[in-house]
Amino acid sequence: VQLQASGGGSVQAGGSLRLSCAVSGRTLRRTDVMGWFRQAPGKEREFVAAITWNVGSTYYANSVKGRFTMSRDKSENTVYLQMNTLKPEDTAVYYCAVDTNPYGTNWLDPEKFDYWGLGTLVTVSS
């Protein structure tokens, strides 16, 4: 299973970026959950957003709620993270991941996710 994240870059505060994550090597199943995490320099990896593959229910960290939107394209086996009103504190490497374990819902925990992409860097300047 390979996850390829893309779309990162440098923007000024208040700007927008759209991240993509394409999954290959495995057709995502109805019980799978896709997630976005981020890791800033010197900090632990933190949850950003998650989406259930079957229904498309979304969950967000409080720090991004109302600014970020996660979506999926089943036909492309791809998820997206639309990031608006970016802040300097959003600067981090963003990772996408997939949770293939149908039991449990603790998607805030990175340990819940089985496969990870390499990440894409987002830099927001003030």
Side-chain angles (χ1 to χ4, degrees), residues 5-20 36-39 46-49 60 63-71 79-96 119-124:
S6 60
S10 297
V11 296
Q12 290 190 330
S16 299
L17 284 174
R18 189 191 194 207
L19 305 184
S20 301
W36 284 100
F37 288 77
R38 66 186 181 187
Q39 188 166 17
E46 65 173 0
F47 169 80
V48 175
Y60 299 96
S63 59
V64 306
K65 200 172 293 184
R67 300 187 298 122
F68 291 11
T69 302
M70 187 172 183
S71 60
V79 294
Y80 304 94
L81 186 67
Q82 178 66 43
M83 305 185 296
N84 298 328
T85 319
L86 283 161
K87 304 175 181 180
E89 50 264 44
D90 294 319
T91 295
V93 177
Y94 283 71
Y95 299 89
C96 58
T120 184
L121 176 63
V122 172
T123 303
V124 184

Side-chain angles (χ1 to χ4, degrees), residues 10 19 23 28 37 66 72 84 92-93 112-114 116:
S10 297
L19 305 184
V23 181
L28 292 172
F37 288 77
R72 78 212 190 294
N84 298 328
V93 177
K112 182 74 172 68
F113 290 78
D114 311 284
W116 291 80

Side-chain angles (χ1 to χ4, degrees), residues 91-108:
T91 295
V93 177
Y94 283 71
Y95 299 89
C96 58
V98 59
D99 169 22
T100 64
N101 187 340
Y103 303 105
T105 59
N106 186 19
W107 297 310
L108 274 67

